[in-house]
Amino acid sequence: MFLARIFTLYPEFFPGPLGKGLYGKALSEKIWKLDTVNIRDYATDKHKTVDDTTYGGGSGMLIKPDVLANSLDSNLNSNEKIIYLSPKGKLFNQELAKKLCKEKTINLICGHFEGVDQRVIESRNIEEVSIGDFILSGGESAAFVMLDSIIRLLPGVLGNEISVEEESFENGLLEYPQYTKPQIWEKKTVPDVLLSGDHAKIKDWRLSQSEAITRDRRPDLWQKYKKN
Ligand code: SAH
């Protein structure tokens, strides 16, 4: 069973959307499990203080190192991966999702305010991961994004495993356009080739569409694809 342990100030946000549909079913089938740890439970003063002002000035607050470390040390087993969701982190992508779905347990720290004290990141060997070049108010929504993409890769979660393999990024390209019934909708018809029943031709058409879309929209992916 894959365990996601979330360190957060808002445990009530979870499992949220991840508890629904196929993912909810997979939860009850024990394919995966979600634990939340409320960082605030590890504050030691009577006001349950989790944050404090930054050294060197600035208006923001940071999550205190002692409180965060205490929450980690009280819940982790040795050698588990710890990830802090952070705009400074390495960019999350499908490749990392595939790597992380092979772990037994991942620990995700959701920051708030201006973030967390740097010393915890270093002392507990925490990896920083970003979901994109923008700033969120907290790490929870980033944790949802990461988990959503990881859970669908766990064996048994999606009914149709083939659909995972043909998606955008799997071959370094964006996906080709797709169509369903009715065949004519608002006077627009489906491309003829898809109705031809000629599987080799359909494969070629899809590849050329994927290439054109990738070249047009994502020059970065296109350069990498051409090199390989
Ligand atoms: N001062 C920080 C931003 C703090 S945003 C900086 O400039 O780097 C508050 C929290 O939201 C962070 O602690 C982090 O957990 C989360 N967060 C914000 N943007 C994120 C992103 N792009 N990816 C992952 N987590 C993010």
Side-chain angles (χ1 to χ4, degrees):
M1 178 164 44
F2 176 85
L3 170 64
R5 197 182 286 116
I6 318 277
F7 294 80
T8 173
L9 292 170
Y10 299 97
E12 66 274 18
F13 286 2
F14 293 92
L18 299 173
K20 311 276 183 234
L22 285 177
Y23 288 11
K25 189 166 157 267
L27 259 182
S28 55
E29 286 167 353
K30 302 197 174 11
I31 294 173
W32 72 290
K33 183 174 166 337
L34 192 133
D35 278 350
T36 49
V37 174
N38 189 343
I39 298 169
R40 197 175 295 279
D41 290 344
Y42 296 87
T44 48
D45 65 328
K46 72 169 194 259
H47 300 294
K48 294 275 170 206
T49 309
V50 292
D51 58 325
D52 212 330
T53 53
T54 53
Y55 279 111
S59 56
M61 305 293 277
L62 287 179
I63 296 184
K64 287 157 59 63
D66 49 341
V67 177
L68 182 56
N70 195 5
S71 74
L72 293 167
D73 298 345
S74 309
N75 290 283
L76 252 70
N77 300 310
S78 53
N79 293 326
E80 288 177 0
K81 212 179 237 321
I82 317 176
I83 291 171
Y84 166 48
L85 284 314
S86 156
K88 285 201 300 240
K90 118 174 177 197
L91 263 187
F92 186 66
N93 59 19
Q94 190 66 17
E95 199 183 314
L96 188 50
K98 278 176 145 174
K99 232 187 249 166
L100 291 175
C101 81
K102 306 245 155 64
E103 296 283 331
K104 262 190 79 165
T105 302
I106 60 168
N107 294 281
L108 300 178
I109 302 170
C110 306
H112 264 275
F113 323 114
E114 284 308 311
V116 307
D117 186 292
Q118 180 65 26
R119 290 167 294 180
V120 199
I121 297 178
E122 289 160 16
S123 73
R124 297 302 185 273
N125 198 16
I126 297 172
E127 233 177 273
E128 290 182 75
V129 175
S130 164
I131 64 157
D133 293 341
F134 41 79
I135 307 290
L136 303 163
S137 63
E140 286 76 13
S141 49
F144 280 128
V145 167
M146 274 186 69
L147 281 178
D148 190 336
S149 67
I150 293 168
I151 293 162
R152 64 194 295 287
L153 298 174
L154 299 173
V157 172
L158 293 193
N160 184 359
E161 314 251 340
I162 292 286
S163 62
V164 173
E165 275 154 32
E166 286 186 358
E167 254 146 4
S168 294
F169 309 120
E170 281 306 313
N171 56 358
L173 293 171
L174 302 178
E175 197 181 56
Y176 44 80
Q178 306 231 63
Y179 303 87
T180 185
K181 293 173 191 81
Q183 196 178 318
I184 299 170
W185 175 76
E186 292 194 347
K187 294 187 186 147
K188 280 172 177 287
T189 176
V190 170
D192 283 340
V193 55
L194 297 178
L195 308 172
S196 68
D198 184 335
H199 294 296
K201 242 166 80 182
I202 292 174
K203 211 172 153 205
D204 285 350
W205 180 83
R206 286 180 165 168
L207 180 62
S208 67
Q209 290 285 316
S210 275
E211 288 180 342
I213 290 168
T214 308
R215 195 187 312 122
D216 185 45
R217 297 183 188 172
R218 292 291 300 273
D220 56 324
L221 293 179
W222 181 243
Q223 288 307 326
K224 249 197 249 166
Y225 173 76
K226 272 201 312 190
K227 266 190 218 139
N228 292 332

